[in-house]
Amino acid sequence: MRLFHGLDELAAAKGEHLGHSGWHTVTQQQVDLFAEATGDHQWIHVDPERAAAGPFGGTIAHGYLTLSLIPLLTSEIFRVEGLAMGVNYGTEKVRFPSPVRVGSRIRSGAELLDLRDASIGKQAVVRHTIEIEGGAKPACVAETVSLLVP
């Protein structure tokens, strides 16, 4: 866990790789709950028997489930002290190069691309590369934008 003591210290890390999260196993229960929350019940996600004979050899996580794990994974990589709040502002770019099979372990690496002025604080642009343990390609590469308010 990398700890920054304020936005000035974070700004000095622009262009740096900030570290990696721990490994997390993606479970069928997570996938099923995400399907319930979003209404996306496609068989490749929620039907293990049918998915076993499908193109991925088993059920896979929704791409947006993988994306939604970024806040959890980031909480293990870095933190900025002295903020009133930090909120999701959006994404610059998101790609899903490889599916995440249920039972796989994933982690995120984070790189601070930019820290730019905003009306009530700073916008941090971070590239997250979500790796699959033993995988040749990442599961997700996303440039997120967070509004950090001191």
Side-chain angles (χ1 to χ4, degrees), residues 12-14 31 33 38 56 73-74 82 88 92 113 119 122 127:
K14 183 177 170 182
V31 171
L33 289 170
T38 62
F56 306 112
L73 300 171
T74 300
N88 178 24
E92 301 284 343
L113 300 180
S119 61
K122 299 280 187 183
R127 179 184 300 122

Side-chain angles (χ1 to χ4, degrees), residues 85-90 120 122 145-149:
M85 68 175 178
V87 296
N88 178 24
Y89 189 80
I120 60 169
K122 299 280 187 183
V145 183
S146 299
L147 177 62
L148 307 177
V149 181

Side-chain angles (χ1 to χ4, degrees), residues 90-112:
T91 55
E92 301 284 343
K93 180 179 177 182
V94 178
R95 297 289 183 267
F96 302 104
S98 187
V100 177
R101 292 251 333 251
V102 166
S104 296
R105 290 180 1 132
I106 62 170
R107 74 174 182 175
S108 180
E111 177 186 356
L112 181 61

Side-chain angles (χ1 to χ4, degrees), residues 19-24 72-77 106-110:
H20 288 92
S21 70
W23 291 101
H24 291 264
L72 167 70
L73 300 171
T74 300
S75 73
E76 298 178 0
I77 301 170
I106 62 170
R107 74 174 182 175
S108 180

Side-chain angles (χ1 to χ4, degrees), residues 1 3-4 8 15 18 35 39 41 43 47 56 58 60 68 72 81 84 99 113 128 132 136 147:
M1 162 69 72
L3 180 61
F4 295 96
D8 290 339
L18 303 178
H41 297 278
W43 62 270
D47 187 340
F56 306 112
I60 61 169
S68 75
L72 167 70
E81 288 186 330
L113 300 180
H128 298 273
I132 304 167
L147 177 62

